[in-house]
Amino acid sequence: MSAELIAETDRLTIREMDSAKDAEFIFALLNSPKFIEFIGDRGVRSVDEAAKFIDDRYRRSYRDHGFGLYTVEVKTSSTPVGVCGFVKRDSLPGPDLGFAFLPLYEGKGFGTESARAVLNYGREKLKFTRVLAITTLNNEASRNLLSKIGFVFESKLQTETETLNLFSIDLNS
């Protein structure tokens, strides 16, 4: 299984996930306190389950939709620090920008840097003209990041289980 390169920035490499290479990192990320609080508990309780989750969710999205969430690595060390990419949700009419970072790497600008690179990939390679994003009502850090990169608040979005903030960005402007 090859992990296709999606984008590079001065500090980061953004690539498709690889279950053999990324399982330990994804296990740590999915079980980090902020991931569970703001995104949800994915029920991944071992590195082996993380490898299966990568194949069943992330790599399947690449196959089914042509995009997904990607591993964000520090270029100089190849250390995975987070994920950033696009999610296809049945409840939304377009691709949804998603991102999450390990606690040690929050607040270092990696979210902003990777999101800008991924949006450029979405515009240039995937031909997206509009991208959505959702946050929980209390996720101020994600709201701030979205605002910083040009997303605008559209509305509250009521799901079966919660109310979310819905944002969008026009990639043609």
Side-chain angles (χ1 to χ4, degrees):
M1 158 180 16
S2 68
E4 181 182 331
L5 179 66
I6 299 303
E8 285 186 287
T9 69
D10 289 344
R11 301 185 301 163
L12 304 172
T13 301
I14 302 161
R15 62 168 173 78
E16 288 184 352
M17 278 188 218
D18 179 309
S19 56
K21 187 175 184 178
D22 294 321
E24 285 186 33
F25 153 66
I26 289 298
F27 173 67
L29 180 67
L30 296 183
N31 288 287
S32 65
K34 285 185 181 176
F35 191 99
I36 291 171
E37 177 184 358
F38 294 124
I39 299 171
D41 186 347
R42 298 299 186 238
V44 174
R45 302 293 179 250
S46 70
V47 172
D48 286 342
E49 287 179 14
K52 184 172 175 12
F53 190 88
I54 290 168
D55 287 336
D56 292 349
R57 293 282 291 271
Y58 300 130
R59 296 212 51 90
R60 176 189 228 168
S61 181
Y62 306 153
R63 289 188 302 272
D64 292 353
H65 306 299
F67 58 84
L69 290 171
Y70 307 109
T71 298
V72 177
E73 293 179 328
V74 174
K75 195 184 277 187
T76 56
S77 64
S78 297
T79 302
V81 296
V83 297
C84 187
F86 302 107
V87 179
K88 172 64 182 110
R89 298 181 199 277
D90 293 337
S91 60
L92 294 176
D96 167 28
L97 178 72
F99 47 85
F101 289 82
L102 289 170
L104 183 61
Y105 300 100
E106 292 173 351
K108 299 184 183 315
F110 294 144
T112 302
E113 192 172 326
S114 62
R116 283 183 174 141
V118 164
L119 285 173
N120 187 55
Y121 174 78
R123 181 180 51 254
E124 300 295 322
K125 301 286 191 223
L126 301 174
K127 305 302 181 197
F128 293 157
T129 56
R130 184 171 182 257
V131 174
L132 305 173
I134 54 174
T135 69
T136 55
L137 297 181
N138 61 340
N139 190 340
E140 192 173 325
S142 289
R143 284 195 321 261
N144 290 342
L145 188 155
L146 291 169
S147 176
K148 186 177 190 177
I149 62 174
F151 277 79
V152 294
F153 175 79
E154 278 201 3
S155 65
K156 301 274 191 229
L157 176 69
Q158 186 62 49
T159 70
E160 290 181 15
T161 57
E162 64 185 332
T163 304
L164 301 169
N165 291 313
L166 176 66
F167 299 84
S168 68
I169 190 170
D170 178 358
L171 297 181
N172 288 328
S173 51

